[in-house]
């Protein structure tokens, strides 16, 4: 056992040594023994680590198939291109795993020397949405207007509120990129509706002109 009784008495010549430890891959190396051979040898054992990616906003615990793009240490960056769940062979050092997936923020997760399984909680990418509400006849901002939305992507979900307009007739909120139906609701006015595609790489601005009910 290394450190406990790790001293070996070896005759002159070439020797193949194998190190084994539970949870690590066996390590085999060769040494040649003569009068000049050093008395100490050091080897690092590798381990298998599985990297998973989960949607941090969802109760669903299944892997979302992100891409493990890099493994970083203090000294180097290793380029990887494996889809999760990904299995990698690592030395017993501290690593930072970098994961990417379309529609999610780039995510960094620490892999400690003793880790065998790590889970990256990936946050869905969001885009800022700015909505302006004005009175069609006066062209003045309309405050206390409710802006609600429905997703047009995937299965229908309940209508949700983005916000209430302030004195400038403005509502600012954040949503994941995708297709939405927005509605502006204000007592005394007709409901106004627009279908819009929200993108993370552009300024998402909507203007509603509300008409007074007759």
């Amino acid at each position: 056992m290394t450190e406990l009784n790790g001293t070996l008495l070896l005759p002159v010549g070439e020797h193949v040594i194998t190190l084994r430890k539970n949870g690590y891959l066996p390590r085999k190396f060769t040494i040649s023994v003569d009068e000049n051979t050093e008395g100490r040898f050091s080897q690092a054992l590798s381990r298998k680590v599985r990297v998973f990616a989960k949607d941090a906003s969802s109760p669903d615990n299944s892997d979302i198939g992100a891409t493990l793009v890099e493994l970083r240490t203090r000294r180097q960056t290793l380029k990887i291109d494996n889809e999760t769940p990904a299995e990698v062979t690592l030395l017993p050092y501290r690593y930072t795993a970098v994961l990417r997936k379309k529609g999610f923020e780039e995510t960094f997760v620490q892999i400690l020397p003793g880790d065998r399984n790590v889970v990256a909680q990936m946050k869905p990418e969001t885009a800022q949405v700015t909505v302006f509400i004005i009175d069609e006849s006066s062209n003045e901002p309309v405050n206390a207007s409710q802006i609600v939305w429905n997703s047009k992507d995937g299965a229908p979900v309940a209508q949700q509120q983005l916000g209430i307009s302030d004195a400038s007739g403005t509502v600012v909120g954040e949503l994941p990129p995708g297709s939405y139906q927005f509605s502006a609701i204000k007592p005394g006015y007709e409901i106004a509706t627009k279908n819009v595609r929200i993108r993370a790489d552009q300024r998402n601005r909507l203007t509603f002109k509300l008409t007074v009910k007759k």
Side-chain angles (χ1 to χ4, degrees):
M1 297 289 291
T2 58
E3 291 190 357
L4 298 179
N5 56 350
T7 300
L8 299 175
L9 298 178
L10 298 175
V12 172
E14 190 171 272
H15 302 271
V16 178
I17 297 175
T18 302
L19 300 174
R20 288 191 176 92
K21 181 177 173 64
N22 285 340
Y24 291 88
L25 301 176
R27 179 84 177 197
K28 183 182 290 188
F29 62 101
T30 302
I31 61 173
S32 294
V33 177
D34 57 30
E35 67 274 12
N36 298 317
T37 300
E38 295 183 6
R40 294 179 66 88
F41 290 86
S42 178
Q43 296 287 323
L45 299 184
S46 300
R47 62 216 161 112
K48 294 287 188 181
V49 178
R50 286 175 64 82
V51 182
F52 300 86
K54 306 292 178 66
D55 183 344
S57 67
S58 172
D60 185 354
N61 203 36
S62 59
D63 187 273
I64 60 174
T67 301
L68 173 60
V69 294
E70 288 180 357
L71 288 167
R72 300 176 182 175
T73 67
R74 289 190 296 179
R75 295 184 178 181
Q76 63 178 337
T77 297
L78 305 174
K79 296 296 183 181
I80 309 289
D81 187 25
N82 292 352
E83 183 174 316
T84 61
E87 185 175 78
V88 289
T89 301
L90 302 179
L91 292 170
Y93 306 144
R94 182 189 296 267
Y95 292 82
T96 299
V98 184
L99 296 100
R100 297 184 185 130
K101 181 176 174 63
K102 186 177 180 179
F104 289 82
E105 297 178 2
E106 185 176 64
T107 303
F108 302 85
V109 62
Q110 295 294 312
I111 303 176
L112 302 180
D115 287 341
R116 297 297 183 273
N117 295 284
V118 294
V119 178
Q121 297 289 345
M122 302 188 71
K123 296 180 180 179
E125 188 178 32
T126 58
Q128 189 177 85
V129 182
T130 304
V131 183
F132 303 99
I133 304 97
I134 61 176
D135 184 296
E136 186 176 44
S137 59
S138 67
N139 220 32
E140 293 293 325
V142 179
N143 70 338
S145 299
Q146 182 186 23
I147 300 298
V148 296
W149 59 267
N150 281 101
S151 175
K152 304 290 285 184
D153 297 326
V157 296
Q159 194 175 66
Q160 299 187 54
Q161 179 175 284
L162 182 70
I164 303 293
S165 63
D166 58 19
S168 67
T170 305
V171 176
V172 179
E174 289 189 345
L175 290 171
S179 296
Y180 295 88
Q181 182 179 81
F182 291 91
S183 296
I185 304 171
K186 168 77 174 180
Y189 289 86
E190 300 287 349
I191 296 177
T193 300
K194 286 187 177 183
N195 293 325
V196 180
R197 179 151 189 89
I198 300 301
R199 295 178 54 180
D201 59 350
Q202 67 183 25
R203 300 169 70 185
N204 300 287
R205 295 173 176 267
L206 296 83
T207 300
F208 285 96
K209 294 186 176 182
L210 298 187
T211 303
V212 175
K213 285 184 178 180
K214 297 181 180 179

